[in-house]
Amino acid sequence: MAPPREASGWIVALGFLGAHLVLPRLVPGLAKPVSLVLLALAPLLAAAACLMHRRGRGWTALVVALGLWSGGMVADLYEYLVPGTASGETSLSMLLFVLYGVPIIFTTASPASEHWPVRVVDAVLALALGLLFFVHTLSYATMAGSSPDGAANLRLMFDIENLFVVGFALMRFVTSRAPHDRDLFGVLSLFAAAYMVVAAYINHMQETADYGGMVDILIDLPFIVLLLLVWRRPGPRHDRAGLSASHERLAQAVSPLMLPATLLAVAAVLLHAHPRWAVAGFATATLVYGLRNVLSHLRNLAERDRLSLLSQSDPLTALPNRRRFDDVLCREWARARRADTGLALLMIDIDHFKLLNDTMGHPRGDQYLCAVAAALAGCARRTSDLVARYGGEEFVAILPATSAEQAAELAEIMRLRVLDLALASPAPIGRVSVSIGVGHLARIGGEDPETLLGYADRALYVAKHDGRNRVRTLTLGS
């Protein structure tokens, strides 16, 4: 019987640590290259666990980061195996160790929900961050081979990067509602914290130690922690409905600052040794962050317009809804009063609609509502005319600057257009029809819009009383 998933993870983790503890001791003369190979494998094991047990863009970025770190160890191994490459390859390994944090920072600083142009800008900031890391790394090559000030600067750079990774991941974990995000950033927070502690100890307390010693086991630990966290079976997935809205807004407000803040911090470290690169970093952080804000603002404006349109549209028929109708009626009423022009309103009702719903079912009724709505809207040719869904099976049309005769003519066109749809119905005539009441005011005095609505509603009642499938008109004074 196969062991449980969690037990399998522990077997792999303990087996790897045991191998790293024993193998370099078995071949003392090759302890360093053997240990380097195992150190390169440790992040790859964690990456394989991510690919096996987790999915998503954030996990993919973590896999890329682990690959970069493993590449740094491979570069160190190459430098050991190929004489004469120490300076250049050591610089490459340091670069890869530093760059490992860039994909993670990008993941924590650029939410996947952001619009793609904003994420491209975030990627530019991440690349600029990588470039400054590259310049900083090449300035000092290695901590062991540089001056005391150079080594201190390198340690400071690593500390800054690791601290940002932990802080960003922890903030995203605390303020995330979605189960996938909480899983990702929870795992990432624990891994980044373990990595930061181990890196600080190695860089500050064991900076002169060479690979191949017992201290190498400590370097494995963050990746073993990550492997175990990913290998475990996730708990029940529930949204954090109780999360404070202020916490969520805080995360949304602070996230865009993460990449620019990191870039500014690294540029500040470079200021003394490479002032031009530092100034370039400051300028990039400022300008690109400004561009990001512009793109975010444009998207927010577009989203606001979309939501405004949705709030005034009927979700079934896509016609303007009652709210939109009320706004337009008040506006056209005021305009007609100022211009001393007539205003007409059509009240339209689908005949025997309850019978249709009861007999043919609500899905068919919804289909017929959409078909009738499209037919009515197609009859309104002027941009000033508005056809809206009033509620249920009722529609309305506002016709500014229109005479009673013109309004009645358009109403008749609408009635015939609906009949031409030939929609089967249990109604007496065997197909869907509409009754239309036309309310019209030639001049608007002290009345209010409810007056016109009342005229159209009374006219509709007359049309239904007279047998349905017809148009009736009431004007002021009738």
Side-chain angles (χ1 to χ4, degrees), residues 201-287:
Y201 176 77
I202 297 295
N203 292 339
H204 292 274
M205 307 299 294
Q206 299 288 333
E207 69 271 18
T208 59
D210 200 3
Y211 292 115
M214 293 293 292
V215 74
D216 290 359
I217 304 297
L218 290 177
I219 302 176
D220 291 332
L221 291 182
F223 306 108
I224 296 302
V225 168
L226 177 59
L227 182 148
L228 292 173
L229 290 171
V230 172
W231 208 296
R232 85 193 195 288
R233 191 177 302 278
R237 293 194 158 198
H238 300 295
D239 286 350
R240 296 183 70 202
L243 180 67
S244 167
S246 61
H247 288 170
E248 189 175 27
R249 287 195 296 269
L250 175 64
Q252 293 171 349
V254 172
S255 290
L257 291 171
M258 293 178 177
L259 278 171
T262 309
L263 188 59
L264 289 172
V266 175
V269 173
L270 277 175
L271 188 59
H272 178 70
H274 295 282
R276 292 184 180 179
W277 283 104
V279 170
F282 292 143
T284 301
T286 303
L287 295 176

Side-chain angles (χ1 to χ4, degrees), residues 193-422:
Y195 184 91
M196 179 179 68
V197 171
V198 170
Y201 176 77
I202 297 295
N203 292 339
H204 292 274
M205 307 299 294
Q206 299 288 333
E207 69 271 18
T208 59
D210 200 3
Y211 292 115
M214 293 293 292
V215 74
D216 290 359
I217 304 297
L218 290 177
I219 302 176
D220 291 332
L221 291 182
F223 306 108
I224 296 302
V225 168
L226 177 59
L227 182 148
L228 292 173
L229 290 171
V230 172
W231 208 296
R232 85 193 195 288
R233 191 177 302 278
R237 293 194 158 198
H238 300 295
D239 286 350
R240 296 183 70 202
L243 180 67
S244 167
S246 61
H247 288 170
E248 189 175 27
R249 287 195 296 269
L250 175 64
Q252 293 171 349
V254 172
S255 290
L257 291 171
M258 293 178 177
L259 278 171
T262 309
L263 188 59
L264 289 172
V266 175
V269 173
L270 277 175
L271 188 59
H272 178 70
H274 295 282
R276 292 184 180 179
W277 283 104
V279 170
F282 292 143
T284 301
T286 303
L287 295 176
V288 178
Y289 178 67
L291 175 60
R292 189 191 197 281
N293 281 343
V294 170
L295 293 173
S296 296
H297 187 58
L298 288 175
R299 190 193 182 195
N300 289 339
L301 291 176
E303 184 68 10
R304 185 190 65 183
D305 293 342
R306 185 184 72 84
L307 292 175
S308 177
L309 181 62
L310 286 176
S311 71
Q312 299 188 35
S313 298
D314 175 58
L316 177 63
T317 64
L319 289 180
N321 60 13
R322 175 71 178 272
R323 176 183 175 183
R324 174 67 174 164
F325 163 76
D326 290 340
D327 291 344
V328 173
L329 178 60
C330 290
R331 186 178 69 238
E332 292 299 339
W333 182 271
R335 181 179 298 168
R337 173 178 286 173
R338 291 194 305 269
D340 197 23
T341 57
L343 183 62
L345 190 147
L346 311 184
M347 187 75 76
I348 308 158
D349 186 84
I350 299 178
D351 298 325
H352 302 288
F353 190 74
K354 184 179 185 303
L355 176 63
L356 188 154
N357 263 339
D358 293 343
T359 305
M360 306 182 71
H362 289 276
R364 180 63 61 85
D366 288 346
Q367 293 176 10
Y368 283 6
L369 277 172
C370 293
V372 170
L376 297 176
C379 295
R381 301 291 184 179
R382 301 184 307 174
T383 57
S384 58
D385 297 340
L386 177 82
V387 178
R389 187 179 180 189
Y390 195 68
E393 71 274 19
E394 286 189 317
F395 300 87
V396 286
I398 301 173
L399 310 176
T402 303
S403 66
E405 292 76 15
Q406 291 170 330
E409 181 181 348
L410 179 60
E412 182 64 18
I413 291 174
M414 288 180 170
R415 185 187 70 83
L416 294 175
R417 184 69 58 84
V418 172
L419 280 179
D420 289 342
L421 294 175

